[in-house]
């Protein structure tokens, strides 16, 4: 994919992904790279509408429908934004990708993780990240962070502690299964220390 680099951030709600994605993006811009910062769900205009449904719809959404909504957002995002950026040679830094679906819809909602992954592979025509940074944090610590930052929770954040504990375990299992794609960082460390660990790993890819 001609010089492009696809970096995804994963982790539970409240693990600090957005802060770290911003810091990494700024560092890469200083190093002279063209950086596209984006996220799922909601990285495109269509995605913003899907995000509204999947995060803020009042009332239940069947787990399989939820999985399809995330996959639909992803299909459009990859086709119209991510792949074109990588083909131009840009660095794409993205909050959440396929691993979030496997962890949240697979382990969280208890759908077959292979089926959930298969949906996303179809949706993205198999586009995989070059590097995935997992910010790992105890679910209850993450909840305390969110409590101080939020006035209201979205549908996923509002799930019980057991849900978020399953999600965390699923992310760690994904990282263990693919150590060459993942960097796992302890998200309870100071922001600057986490950022330095991430820069060190990314420098090796440039
Ligand atoms: P995020 O944008 O990280 O939330 P916020 O901007 O509020 O910090 O993610 C939104 C939520 O969507 C988050 O709880 C995780 C969930 N999610 C899934 O369940 N499956 C997915 O495939 C994705 C991408 C996100």
């Amino acid at each position: 994919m001609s010089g492009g680099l696809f970096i995804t951030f994963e982790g539970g709600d409240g693990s600090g992904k957005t802060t770290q994605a911003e810091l990494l993006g700024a560092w890469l811009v200083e190093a002279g790279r063209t950086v596209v910062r984006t996220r799922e769900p909601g990285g495109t205009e269509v995605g913003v509408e899907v995000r509204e449904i999947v995060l803020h719809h009042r009332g239940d959404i069947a787990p399989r429908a939820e999985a399809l909504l995330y996959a639909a957002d992803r299909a459009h995002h990859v086709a119209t934004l991510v792949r074109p950026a990588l083909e131009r040679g840009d660095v794409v830094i993205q909050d959440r990708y396929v691993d979030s679906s496997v962890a949240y819809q697979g382990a969280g909602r208890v759908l077959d993780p292979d089926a959930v992954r298969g949906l996303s592979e179809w949706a993205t025509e198999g586009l995989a990240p070059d590097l995935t940074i997992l910010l790992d944090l105890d679910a209850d610590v993450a909840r305390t962070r969110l409590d101080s930052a939020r006035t209201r929770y979205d549908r996923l954040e509002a799930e019980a502690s057991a849900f978020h504990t399953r999600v965390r375990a699923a992310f760690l299992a994904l990282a263990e299964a693919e150590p060459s794609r993942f960097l796992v960082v302890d998200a309870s460390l100071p922001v600057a220390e986490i950022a330095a660990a991430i820069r060190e790993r990314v420098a090796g890819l440039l």
Side-chain angles (χ1 to χ4, degrees):
M1 219 167 245
S2 65
L5 193 61
F6 186 23
I7 301 173
T8 57
F9 278 83
E10 298 283 4
D13 298 279
S15 59
K17 293 181 303 303
T18 307
T19 303
Q20 290 299 332
E22 275 165 14
L23 289 171
L24 177 64
W27 180 72
L28 283 166
V29 166
E30 239 169 61
R33 299 294 303 241
T34 302
V35 172
V36 175
R37 274 272 292 119
T38 187
R39 68 170 178 179
E40 291 184 2
T44 61
E45 275 182 35
V46 169
V48 168
E49 296 188 43
V50 176
R51 182 180 173 95
E52 188 56 31
I53 299 172
V54 85
L55 295 187
H56 301 301
H57 173 73
R58 286 166 199 274
D60 286 344
I61 297 178
R64 282 164 197 255
E66 183 180 280
L68 286 163
L69 286 165
Y70 282 112
D73 165 73
R74 183 162 300 134
H76 187 70
H77 187 220
V78 166
T80 64
L81 192 146
V82 177
R83 241 181 228 284
L86 294 173
E87 279 163 7
R88 289 194 302 268
D90 297 351
V91 180
V92 175
I93 300 179
Q94 181 167 320
D95 281 24
R96 300 195 181 281
Y97 191 52
V98 178
D99 300 305
S100 275
S101 284
V102 177
Y104 281 81
Q105 279 64 57
R109 296 293 184 217
V110 201
L111 294 170
D112 172 7
D114 290 334
V116 171
R117 182 197 305 284
L119 267 184
S120 276
E121 279 174 357
W122 181 78
T124 64
E125 300 180 83
L127 180 68
D130 298 294
L131 172 67
T132 297
I133 296 151
L134 173 59
L135 297 176
D136 177 55
L137 191 61
D138 175 80
D140 294 327
V141 174
R143 168 54 43 134
T144 308
R145 283 191 187 180
L146 278 185
D147 280 344
S148 56
R150 291 280 194 279
T151 50
R152 89 181 163 134
Y153 288 122
D154 68 42
R155 285 181 57 257
L156 281 290
E157 288 167 348
E159 283 295 332
S161 162
F163 176 98
H164 292 285
T165 301
R166 288 199 298 281
V167 168
R168 181 195 188 193
F171 275 131
L172 287 171
L174 286 165
E176 206 172 321
E178 273 187 87
S180 59
R181 173 166 67 90
F182 273 90
L183 171 69
V184 182
V185 190
D186 175 355
S188 69
L189 292 171
V191 169
E193 227 172 286
I194 297 172
I198 293 170
R199 284 197 301 270
E200 192 185 322
R201 177 69 176 259
V202 172
L205 295 174
L206 295 175

